[in-house]
Amino acid sequence: MTSNEAPRLTHVRADGTAAMVDVSAKPVTARSASARGVVLLSPAAIAALRDGTVPKGDALAVARIAGIQAAKQTPALIPLAHPVAVHAVAVDLTVHDDGVQIEATVRTADRTGIEMEALTSVTVAALALIDMVKAVDKHARITDVRVVAKSGGRSGDWTEDA
């Protein structure tokens, strides 16, 4: 491909219709992806999280479990995502003065990447957190969800900072 050619979209057929990519001939390799996002919250919601006084219970634990479960359900939610064997999911939630940072890392040994699983994990964890704190903060907002690192596969390793 030359520098002025548009990149080939792998999920689009020549006739313009969407299609799932055939990965059956690709080798199985160890892969991981990390995604990050933030839920912006009011000072009252932050205080409730820090004090353990969220009316619905342990909001951070519920969000963590929701993120783990979501990674495993990604192909049911994203139409062209391949079912991959999710071997590990770590979801970390860090309370800051203006919100909660959520980071998910997903690992597999499979034929295709796992970025969608990491993004789905962060997004659903954020939604679960909002559900848990909505009685305290009706203006909670999800922001900055993105892939921050990936490893394995044909395209190799990548980090947001690189």
Side-chain angles (χ1 to χ4, degrees):
M1 177 170 60
T2 63
S3 62
N4 50 352
E5 284 183 54
R8 185 177 160 283
L9 300 175
T10 59
H11 285 79
V12 180
R13 295 182 190 147
D15 67 359
T17 58
M20 184 180 237
V21 173
D22 181 355
V23 297
S24 60
K26 291 174 75 176
V28 170
T29 61
R31 300 161 184 267
S32 71
S34 295
R36 188 178 299 145
V38 175
V39 178
L40 297 175
L41 295 168
S42 67
I46 295 297
L49 287 170
R50 287 181 170 154
D51 299 341
T53 58
V54 174
K56 287 178 124 179
D58 189 343
L60 299 176
V62 169
R64 183 176 301 106
I65 296 301
I68 293 167
Q69 184 175 349
K72 299 185 293 181
Q73 296 299 317
T74 299
L77 301 168
I78 309 299
L80 300 179
H82 290 86
V84 296
V86 173
H87 293 131
V89 182
V91 179
D92 296 308
L93 295 99
T94 307
V95 179
H96 295 279
D97 289 342
D98 62 347
V100 176
Q101 179 179 286
I102 303 168
E103 184 160 343
T105 299
V106 184
R107 298 189 198 299
T108 189
D110 217 314
R111 290 179 165 84
T112 191
I114 201 147
E115 295 91 343
M116 294 310 300
E117 286 74 6
L119 288 165
T120 301
S121 177
V122 167
T123 303
V124 173
L127 291 169
L129 180 63
I130 288 175
D131 181 51
M132 293 295 289
V133 302
K134 66 186 177 191
V136 179
D137 185 355
K138 296 191 183 337
H139 299 287
R141 183 170 36 134
I142 301 168
T143 185
D144 296 322
V145 176
R146 69 215 183 268
V147 174
V148 295
K150 70 163 282 305
S151 68
R154 184 180 52 171
S155 62
D157 298 353
W158 174 87
T159 62
E160 179 180 61
D161 301 328

